[in-house]
Amino acid sequence: MAKMPRDHVCDTIRELGESDLKMFKDKLNNFKPKEGYNPIKWGELEKADAVEITRLLVSYYEEDYAVEVARKVLMAMDKKNLAHHLFQATGKATGGARQTPAPTSSTRTRVTGRLTFVQLLSGMGQ
């Protein structure tokens, strides 16, 4: 079975030593995700191991953007070799394939037929 991008993220995080793992968590906690995504809370990261961090990355950011976030955090830590290895293993450049962000409370809309509730209110459905 071929490895998924999340497997490569987990493998990369596992390569970090204990002090680097703490730094990764701290940088990830302070990472400002692009619009439509929320930062991962420290309470979820504090005691997380590589598997749990990977699960959090994918659940918060979806797989492609999770790879990008992990790479950016590694670059911020000056772990360019690991970031490059992750890029090669996943074939994902910064930006990756465009995925629709998971809805946050500020972007969530209710869909009514083919038009969203917001579109109906603004008169776009006419």
Side-chain angles (χ1 to χ4, degrees):
M1 176 186 272
K3 283 190 172 188
M4 301 294 293
R6 70 182 336 140
D7 299 321
H8 294 293
V9 170
C10 189
D11 291 346
T12 302
I13 295 171
R14 282 185 177 146
E15 289 186 40
L16 297 170
E18 186 177 333
S19 64
D20 284 336
L21 183 60
K22 285 180 185 179
M23 182 183 289
F24 185 90
K25 291 182 209 180
D26 183 61
K27 296 239 182 240
L28 180 57
N29 178 243
N30 292 304
F31 179 80
K32 304 289 186 232
K34 60 187 174 184
E35 190 174 329
Y37 293 95
N38 294 315
I40 300 174
K41 297 175 183 93
W42 178 249
E44 294 181 275
L45 286 170
E46 188 173 14
K47 296 186 191 259
D49 62 9
V51 172
E52 182 64 13
I53 293 168
T54 302
R55 188 194 65 75
L56 288 167
L57 280 164
V58 172
S59 68
Y60 271 75
Y61 304 128
E62 300 177 346
E63 206 158 86
D64 285 343
Y65 187 46
V67 171
E68 181 182 341
V69 170
R71 286 188 67 235
K72 286 181 177 182
V73 170
L74 290 166
M75 294 296 284
M77 294 172 59
D78 202 27
K79 297 289 183 184
K80 293 175 179 65
N81 287 343
L82 282 175
H84 181 70
H85 175 71
L86 180 58
F87 164 72
Q88 287 186 317
T90 60
K92 308 247 183 262
T94 54
R98 179 72 181 133
Q99 287 187 347
T100 304
T104 61
S105 59
S106 63
T107 61
R108 195 172 292 132
T109 58
R110 190 179 87 194
V111 177
T112 308
R114 298 185 78 188
L115 300 172
T116 66
F117 182 67
V118 174
Q119 289 170 323
L120 288 172
L121 287 178
S122 66
M124 292 176 62
Q126 299 177 354

